[in-house]
C-alpha cells in the first residue's frame, strides 16, 4: 500500500507537471505574440509602398488586398494568443451591455431584447466583446443576413445566441470547426476565430456550442454561469 511519503511524492510530481505545462504554454504564447507583432511592421511598410507603385490600378489593388489579408491572419494570431490573458472580471449589467454592443454593429445585425431582465454577471468586457464580434464576423462570412443576437436568463446564468440564416454546416463539423486552424467552407482568416471564442468562454467558466438552427442557419450559443 502507498504510504504518506509515496502520496506526497506523487503530488509533487503532479504539481511539477502542471508547472511545466503552464511554462510551455506561456512560452508558446510569447513566441506567437512576438512573431506576429514583428511581422506587422514590414507588412505596413509593404502596403504603403504598394499604394505608390506605378502599376496598373487592378494589379496594385490585388497586391494591397493580399497584404491586408496577411495582416488579418496575423491579427487573428495575436487575438488567439491574448485571449488567455487575465483581464479582470467586472460585474456588468449584461442586458444593457449587449444592447450597446449591438448598436455599434453594422446593418444586418439584429438585437432581440430579452423578455425578462438579465442578471448582472462578472465578465471580461473586452474579451466577451471580442468573442461576440468573432461570432458575428463568422456569421457574416459564412452565413447570410440577418444576424440575430438574443439573450435570455437561465436557471444558473445567461444564454446568448448568435444566429445567421445561411446553409449551416455539416453535423460532423460542429465540434471540429472550433479547433484551432480548422475551417468550414470558404472565408478569410486562418481558422482561429471560433477557437478564440472557446478560450474566452472557458475563462468565464461557461460553455460554447454550435448547432444547426431548425429553420436554417448556424446558431452559436454561449452560456455564462452565475458566480458560485
Amino acid at each position: 500500500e502507498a504510504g504518506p511519503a509515496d502520496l506526497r511524492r506523487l503530488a509533487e510530481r503532479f504539481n511539477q507537471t502542471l508547472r511545466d505545462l503552464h511554462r510551455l504554454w506561456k512560452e508558446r504564447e510569447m513566441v506567437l505574440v512576438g512573431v506576429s507583432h514583428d511581422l506587422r511592421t514590414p507588412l505596413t511598410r509593404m502596403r504603403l509602398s504598394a499604394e505608390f507603385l506605378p502599376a496598373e490600378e487592378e494589379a496594385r489593388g490585388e497586391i494591397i488586398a493580399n497584404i491586408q489579408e496577411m495582416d488579418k491572419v496575423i491579427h487573428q494570431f495575436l487575438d488567439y494568443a491574448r485571449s488567455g490573458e487575465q483581464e479582470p472580471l467586472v460585474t456588468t449589467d449584461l442586458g444593457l451591455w449587449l444592447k450597446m454592443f449591438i448598436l455599434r454593429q453594422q446593418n444586418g445585425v439584429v438585437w432581440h431584447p430579452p423578455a425578462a431582465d438579465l442578471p448582472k454577471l462578472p465578465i471580461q468586457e473586452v474579451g466577451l466583446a471580442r468573442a461576440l464580434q468573432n461570432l458575428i464576423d463568422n456569421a457574416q462570412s459564412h452565413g447570410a443576413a440577418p444576424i440575430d443576437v438574443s439573450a435570455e436568463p437561465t436557471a444558473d446564468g445567461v444564454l446568448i445566441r448568435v444566429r445567421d440564416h445561411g446553409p449551416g454546416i455539416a453535423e460532423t463539423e460542429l465540434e471540429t470547426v472550433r479547433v484551432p486552424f480548422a475551417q468550414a467552407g470558404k472565408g478569410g482568416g486562418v481558422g482561429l476565430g471560433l477557437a478564440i471564442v472557446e478560450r474566452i468562454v472557458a475563462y468565464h467558466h461557461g460553455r460554447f456550442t454550435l448547432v444547426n438552427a431548425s429553420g436554417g442557419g448556424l446558431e452559436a450559443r454561449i452560456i455564462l454561469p452565475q458566480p458560485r
Side-chain angles (χ1 to χ4, degrees):
E1 295 183 2
D6 294 324
L7 292 176
R8 187 165 54 251
R9 284 193 293 271
L10 179 61
E12 289 173 353
R13 285 198 294 269
F14 179 75
N15 290 334
Q16 184 59 49
T17 300
L18 289 180
R19 287 192 292 269
D20 290 342
L21 288 172
H22 180 72
R23 177 178 54 80
L24 289 171
W25 179 258
K26 295 303 293 184
E27 288 177 355
R28 190 180 75 163
E29 283 189 345
M30 288 175 62
V31 170
L32 190 56
V33 170
V35 171
S36 300
H37 181 271
D38 290 346
L39 283 174
R40 299 196 83 173
T41 300
L43 271 180
T44 300
R45 289 199 297 265
M46 288 169 61
R47 181 178 59 81
L48 291 173
S49 298
E51 291 176 353
F52 293 98
L53 281 176
E56 295 183 4
E57 188 67 28
E58 183 177 350
R60 183 167 58 247
E62 185 175 349
I63 292 172
I64 293 173
N66 286 330
I67 292 173
Q68 289 173 335
E69 181 64 24
M70 291 171 65
D71 189 62
K72 182 179 178 181
V73 169
I74 291 172
H75 185 73
Q76 277 202 329
F77 274 113
L78 284 170
D79 275 352
Y80 182 69
R82 291 169 176 166
S83 60
E85 291 181 356
Q86 301 294 305
E87 177 194 346
L89 295 168
V90 179
T91 300
T92 304
D93 182 336
L94 201 57
L96 178 61
W97 185 88
L98 285 168
K99 178 182 177 181
M100 298 306 296
F101 173 80
I102 298 302
L103 285 176
R104 295 193 294 269
Q105 299 297 314
Q106 298 177 352
N107 292 336
V109 181
V110 182
W111 168 238
H112 299 271
D117 290 340
L118 300 179
K120 291 184 177 181
L121 291 180
I123 64 169
Q124 288 182 324
E125 293 189 344
V126 174
L128 187 58
R130 181 184 298 149
L132 290 175
Q133 191 63 59
N134 282 1
L135 293 178
I136 290 171
D137 291 346
N138 188 73
Q140 291 172 330
S141 296
H142 302 284
I147 311 302
D148 295 319
V149 182
S150 62
E152 61 189 75
T154 65
D156 58 353
V158 171
L159 168 62
I160 302 173
R161 306 174 192 260
V162 179
R163 176 190 172 183
D164 65 60
H165 289 76
I169 62 176
E171 292 290 329
T172 55
E173 294 182 332
L174 289 173
E175 291 293 331
T176 58
V177 76
R178 294 181 295 160
V179 176
F181 308 110
Q183 290 181 314
K186 298 180 179 179
V190 73
L192 284 174
L194 296 181
I196 291 169
V197 177
E198 186 89 54
R199 290 188 70 185
I200 292 171
V201 173
Y203 182 75
H204 288 79
H205 304 290
R207 298 197 307 276
F208 169 48
T209 57
L210 296 171
V211 298
N212 283 312
S214 58
L218 183 68
E219 181 174 284
R221 298 175 180 175
I222 292 176
I223 296 179
L224 299 177
Q226 287 273 21
R228 298 186 181 278

